[in-house]
Every structure is written in C-alpha cells, then in structure tokens.
Amino acid sequence: MSLTIISSVYEVCSDAAGIAGNIFAFGLFLSPIPTFRRIIRNGSTEQFSGMPYIYALLNCLICLWYGFPIISPGIILVATVNSIGAIFQLIYIIIFIAYATKPMKLKMLGFLVSVFAVFASIVFVSLQFLDSSSRQLFIGYLSVASLISMFASPLLIINLVIKMKSVEYMPFSLSLATFLMSLAFFVYGLLKHDPFIYGPPNLGFC
C-alpha cells in the first residue's frame, strides 16, 4: 500500500514538473512577441537576427519526435511542449521573412527548407534503419545537439547588444523564461530517469 502511495506521489511530482515546464516554455515562446510587433510596426527586421528562430524550430521538431511514444514512451509532455513551440517558431520565421530584405528572405527560406529536409531525413532514418533502443539513442543524442545549438544561438546577438549598448535585442524575459523552463525540465528528466531530458537543461542555467 505504502509503495503504491509513494509511486502515485512520484508520478504526480513528475507530471507537475513537466506541466510547469510546458507553462514556462509557453512564456518562452511568447517572449519574442514585442520584437515582432516592432518589426511589423517598422516594416523592417532592422538588425534582428532570424537564426535563433531557425535553431529553435529545428530543436522543437527533433525534441517533438523524441517525445513521441514510438521513440520514448511515457514522456508525452516533451512532445506537447515542442509541438506548440514548433508552431510558434514557424510563425515567427514567416513574419521575419515577410519583412526581411530580399537577400535575407532568400537566405531564411533556404534555412527553413533545410530544417524540414533535415527533420524528414531524421524521421526516415530512425524508422527505417534502427530498432527501438537504437532509435531512442539516435534521436536523444540529436536532441542534445539541437538543444546546445538553441541555447548557444543567443550568442549571435551578444555582439549586437555590446555594439548597441542596449539589451533590447536580447530581452530579459527571454532569459528568465529559458531559465525557468530549463529548471522544470531538469526536474522532470530526473524524475523520469531520462538523461536526454535532464542533461541538456543544465546548459540553460548558464
């Protein structure tokens, strides 16, 4: 009886951590809205970079695939948060392309097509050539690599922040939401005993 209660409490705690991660991630996905309001208002992407959204889209797609039951049973909250994230990133990229200069439009379109091509290749390889355990390892390591690129992408903006002597290109809300989401999924990963979940969020604490 006591073991059943402990197991139930454990499950509730892990679900709570996952739900908290989803909530904080939603805040993270909303944080670029002021940036895109400015882009739409001014009719220009100015000196903003679209690359963080490209990296984030690729990361969301790979982590979405990792969270699917066919890859990793029992972590559906990873799939839900990344499905929402992929939609947000795609919307941001479309808006960025709409207001970018012509050379930047072509560059961003090329990156967008490349993201979907890479993701389609990953899905094909994982389903056609790997068994269930190898598939999880393969997608897990790819998710770690994509998370590293996502967490590192703001480094592209730091030079601009230093040059302009303003943090408007790297809002505090973005950093705060990233930290809280990373903390929640770190706990979720620990409780689910999944190193591919609790490992990468440590990068987000930095």
Side-chain angles (χ1 to χ4, degrees):
M1 182 68 177
S2 59
L3 289 177
T4 303
I5 294 174
I6 292 173
S7 178
S8 298
V9 171
Y10 190 89
E11 194 66 29
V12 168
C13 289
S14 64
D15 287 345
I19 292 171
N22 274 249
I23 293 171
F24 292 135
F26 192 74
L28 174 63
F29 300 146
L30 292 177
S31 62
I33 286 180
T35 296
F36 284 90
R37 280 180 178 169
R38 172 172 170 171
I39 288 173
I40 293 171
R41 183 175 65 249
N42 295 339
S44 169
T45 57
E46 302 177 26
Q47 298 187 67
F48 291 106
S49 173
M51 290 310 297
Y53 308 104
I54 292 291
Y55 288 128
L57 176 61
L58 180 59
N59 169 69
C60 285
L61 290 173
I62 294 175
C63 292
L64 166 62
W65 186 231
Y66 181 75
F68 263 56
I70 191 175
I71 304 295
S72 306
I75 56 167
I76 193 64
L77 289 173
V78 170
T80 59
V81 67
N82 284 287
S83 61
I84 296 171
I87 293 171
F88 271 96
Q89 303 311 319
L90 184 58
I91 291 171
Y92 293 144
I93 291 169
I94 290 171
I95 295 173
F96 191 93
I97 290 172
Y99 289 93
T101 59
K102 187 173 181 179
M104 183 57 69
K105 285 180 191 288
L106 296 175
K107 184 177 180 180
M108 289 295 293
L109 280 170
F111 282 128
L112 183 58
V113 171
S114 297
V115 165
F116 285 114
V118 168
F119 178 63
S121 299
I122 290 170
V123 172
F124 177 77
V125 169
S126 62
L127 290 178
Q128 294 297 320
F129 300 104
L130 302 174
D131 58 30
S132 59
S133 58
S134 298
R135 189 182 299 139
Q136 185 176 19
L137 285 174
F138 175 65
I139 304 301
Y141 281 118
L142 285 177
S143 69
V144 170
S146 67
L147 279 163
I148 289 174
S149 70
M150 187 188 73
F151 285 132
S153 63
L155 295 176
L156 298 172
I157 309 173
I158 288 179
N159 284 335
L160 183 60
V161 170
I162 295 173
K163 179 181 177 181
M164 302 299 292
K165 296 182 179 179
S166 171
V167 296
E168 65 176 324
Y169 294 98
M170 192 174 180
F172 173 74
S173 59
L174 178 63
S175 299
L176 178 62
T178 300
F179 172 77
L180 293 174
M181 180 196 71
S182 298
L183 179 60
F185 274 108
F186 173 72
V187 174
Y188 182 68
L190 282 178
L191 294 174
K192 290 293 185 179
H193 306 290
D194 191 326
F196 291 121
I197 299 177
Y198 69 70
N202 282 292
L203 298 170
F205 297 157
C206 300

